[in-house]
Amino acid sequence: MTSHPLRFGLVVAGSISQLEESARRAEQIGFDVVLLPDHLGMPAPLLSLLPMAEAAPSLRVGNMVLDAPFYRPALLARDLAAVDAATGGRLEIGLGAGHAEEEFRAAGLPFPSAGARVDLVVEHAVEIRRLLSDPGHSPAPVQTPPPIMIAGMGDRMLTAAARHADIVAFLSFGTREHLVERVGFFTDAAGDRAAEVERAFTFMQVASTIPTTCPSCAAPPPACPTTSCAGR
């Protein structure tokens, strides 16, 4: 059985100078990893990891999460390898299905169905692992490959993580009971792999009240009825 140390990560946003300062502060406080989201209107999710990694040399860096449908696996793998090399092997790859249809439209990209987006996450996870495990890949990453995280809460995303991820991130915006049920679903889906996969619990907010809507689609938790929601 694999034993995973307890780690703390922080998702940050802002200008490049703000990201650098956030990374320094996170390092001082004792965080282990800093992560960037992937949205239009925000700094580039991979390039911006480099100044953060330089500002906080003890931290690992990554994304929460890259929208897989924005990319093609071979091109993304090339950029991920370059970032891992530039950071001295501190990259953690984060993959998600994406949910903001308006961002796809703004980028001139089709917005696939929820099922098709999950399929793209699986395709990226499999291909990126294959490409970055190849000792002949150029550019060469330091980690071969960097750990791959898949984030979600729906059955298909958790099944994808159970089969293909090194880290599963549970997007926690529901009740405690819902989270416990989702962890149980993942554990059953992962079978013999369950102990090998690191679990990450991503809290959207910390408050004394229970949220009444999903931050992605504004539907009531624990489940979102819309097929376009990131949690599906």
Side-chain angles (χ1 to χ4, degrees):
M1 177 181 293
T2 300
S3 177
H4 299 288
L6 180 63
R7 302 193 298 154
F8 292 91
L10 181 67
V11 180
V12 298
S15 67
I16 295 299
S17 61
Q18 289 171 329
L19 295 178
E20 291 174 323
E21 180 57 31
S22 294
R24 291 189 194 98
R25 181 62 175 150
E27 183 178 45
Q28 293 168 359
I29 293 171
F31 282 93
D32 300 288
V33 56
V34 287
L35 305 116
L36 292 179
D38 182 10
H39 291 292
L40 293 183
M42 295 185 178
L46 290 178
L47 183 62
S48 302
L49 296 177
L50 300 181
M52 293 171 61
E54 184 175 358
S58 71
L59 294 185
R60 294 180 66 79
V61 295
N63 297 101
M64 180 61 77
V65 283
L66 295 170
D67 287 349
F70 277 174
Y71 308 98
R72 293 304 303 150
L75 298 176
L76 186 55
R78 175 197 63 186
D79 293 350
L80 291 166
V83 170
D84 191 57
T87 60
R90 288 187 280 150
L91 176 67
E92 301 194 0
I93 300 169
L95 298 175
H99 65 90
E101 183 175 359
E102 65 276 9
E103 294 186 13
F104 284 79
R105 290 199 304 267
L109 296 171
F111 184 63
S113 67
R117 298 200 310 277
V118 175
D119 291 341
L120 286 169
V121 171
V122 172
E123 179 187 2
H124 278 70
V126 170
E127 278 299 291
I128 288 169
R129 186 181 301 280
R130 182 185 70 82
L131 290 167
L132 299 190
S133 297
D134 182 355
H137 187 274
S138 181
V142 174
Q143 304 172 97
T144 52
I148 296 174
M149 175 177 68
I150 293 177
M153 282 292 270
D155 289 359
R156 292 199 63 200
M157 285 295 286
L158 292 179
T159 299
R163 295 174 179 172
H164 303 291
D166 302 297
I167 306 167
V168 55
F170 296 92
L171 301 177
S172 307
F173 52 79
T175 64
R176 176 180 178 179
E177 292 74 18
H178 181 237
L179 178 58
V180 168
E181 187 275 328
R182 291 289 80 195
V183 172
F185 177 91
F186 166 81
T187 302
D188 291 342
D192 293 341
R193 291 193 75 237
E196 306 298 320
V197 183
E198 185 177 358
R199 290 159 172 77
F201 297 94
T202 306
F203 299 98
M204 300 294 186
Q205 64 183 31
V206 177
S208 60
T209 58
I210 297 175
T212 58
T213 60
C214 164
S216 293
C217 72
C224 303
T226 59
T227 58
S228 62
C229 178
R232 299 295 288 175

